Amino acid sequence: MSDYFEPWLQFKNAIVRQLAFAIASPNLLRSTPHELQMQHPFSWHSDQVWKQHYENYLPRLYALDLNPEPLIRFFNQLKSTRLGLRFEYLIWFWLLDKDYHPYQLLAHSLQVIEGKTTLGELDFLIYNQETKHTEHWEVALKYYLAEQNTQLYHWYGLNRQDTLYRKLQHFAQQQFKFTTALQMQIDQRFAVMKGQLFLPLFHTTHNLPVWLNTSRRLGYWGTQIFAQNHFRIARSQWLCLDNEQGQQDAVLWCDGLYYNRDTDTPYMFRQVEYQNPLLWQQFAKQSLHP
């Protein structure tokens, strides 16, 4: 057992576990890296904020675990299998449950249009009834692997065009550029980024960047195949593990996400991580002797 706050694992229904994860899990980052060019500043909710939201929502989660039909009906409108959209819908469902949090949802997927030009879109426009502030939230579910080191510029997504630096820059330069919406002044802007970060195999957790949130379980990635105690999970479970019935032993290894049964540690196996073999050799040497 670990000290990580992972209360979503107690729920029996898969979609309810995912809903609990979307609320209870902390952001991947605890603060904005100083390397970022903050043209339009934004903030991050603290771990305690998400923990309090989860605790306030517990009665609803218990009820949904017994009868998930309202949640299932809500997700019937989602035709895409993209995990990022599924995460957004989970946050949307929770925000609509206005009896369990201080937020009034003003708009979801709000397009900002000037004449015939679409200037952008806001994921969520929210009125915080405690602070009396209008808030703009952008939400994302992300999986990033640290390659040469753990500094901001070296975190890559499974699509190598998707980097942590590029995503944060998009937040700061594009997505949070709006000062008003629905004829209301935007008082605060929040990034909600959850998912999983992966360190290179054999990398220690010492001297990590101060902005990286270590209260969330960190995974590892590499090309090493383990002989036992690992199981592979389907892409649909990347957001949150299902019950153990769906766990299949890792026999034929291919690119994807695996877990160690003994430690509950996520492991992203990649057959090819660098096109440049010299770069890989240098990286492997650094990883073995961090």
Side-chain angles (χ1 to χ4, degrees), residues 194-218:
K194 304 190 179 187
Q196 187 72 63
L197 296 179
F198 298 87
L199 300 174
L201 192 61
F202 307 121
H203 197 290
T204 70
T205 56
H206 299 297
N207 300 319
L208 294 175
V210 295
W211 45 262
L212 191 151
N213 194 346
T214 54
S215 65
R216 175 74 178 100
R217 184 188 298 271
L218 295 173

Side-chain angles (χ1 to χ4, degrees), residues 36 38 69 88 90-91 116 119 139 172 219 223 225 227 231 249 268-269 282 287:
L36 205 64
M38 292 294 286
E69 188 60 30
E88 183 177 324
L90 291 166
I91 296 293
K116 295 183 179 181
L119 302 179
V139 304
T223 59
I225 294 176
F231 61 93
D249 289 338
M268 183 68 73
F269 173 71
Q282 178 183 2
S287 299

Side-chain angles (χ1 to χ4, degrees), residues 142-145 147 152-170 270 273 275:
K142 291 294 182 180
Y143 300 85
Y144 289 117
L145 287 64
E147 294 199 346
L152 177 61
Y153 302 103
H154 300 292
W155 292 87
Y156 289 85
L158 303 181
N159 172 2
R160 292 186 61 82
Q161 300 304 311
D162 176 22
T163 69
L164 177 58
Y165 174 75
R166 180 174 293 183
K167 181 59 179 177
L168 295 178
Q169 280 292 93
H170 189 55
R270 310 296 287 168
E273 61 287 324
Q275 294 181 354

Side-chain angles (χ1 to χ4, degrees), residues 107-164:
H108 168 243
S109 295
L110 176 63
Q111 289 190 335
V112 180
I113 301 174
E114 187 176 276
K116 295 183 179 181
T117 304
T118 301
L119 302 179
E121 183 175 282
L122 285 69
D123 282 349
F124 294 101
L125 186 68
I126 296 165
Y127 180 68
N128 188 324
Q129 298 174 98
E130 289 183 347
T131 64
K132 311 302 181 185
H133 287 165
T134 299
E135 301 177 358
H136 169 199
W137 290 15
E138 288 294 319
V139 304
L141 182 74
K142 291 294 182 180
Y143 300 85
Y144 289 117
L145 287 64
E147 294 199 346
Q148 296 179 55
N149 57 58
T150 59
Q151 297 308 306
L152 177 61
Y153 302 103
H154 300 292
W155 292 87
Y156 289 85
L158 303 181
N159 172 2
R160 292 186 61 82
Q161 300 304 311
D162 176 22
T163 69
L164 177 58

Side-chain angles (χ1 to χ4, degrees), residues 6 30 78-79 100 110 140 202 235 237 239 241 250 254 284:
E6 298 176 330
R30 69 172 75 235
L78 177 61
K79 306 305 178 184
Y100 299 93
L110 176 63
F202 307 121
R235 188 69 174 263
Q237 292 188 41
L239 200 151
L241 277 177
C254 57

Side-chain angles (χ1 to χ4, degrees), residues 59-95:
R60 177 65 161 153
L61 289 169
Y62 287 142
L64 288 170
D65 207 27
L66 293 174
N67 177 25
E69 188 60 30
L71 187 55
I72 293 172
R73 283 200 309 269
F74 183 80
F75 268 83
N76 284 339
Q77 63 187 311
L78 177 61
K79 306 305 178 184
S80 173
T81 58
R82 288 175 51 198
L83 290 182
L85 279 177
R86 189 172 186 83
F87 175 70
E88 183 177 324
Y89 267 59
L90 291 166
I91 296 293
W92 187 14
F93 182 90
W94 167 67
L95 286 172

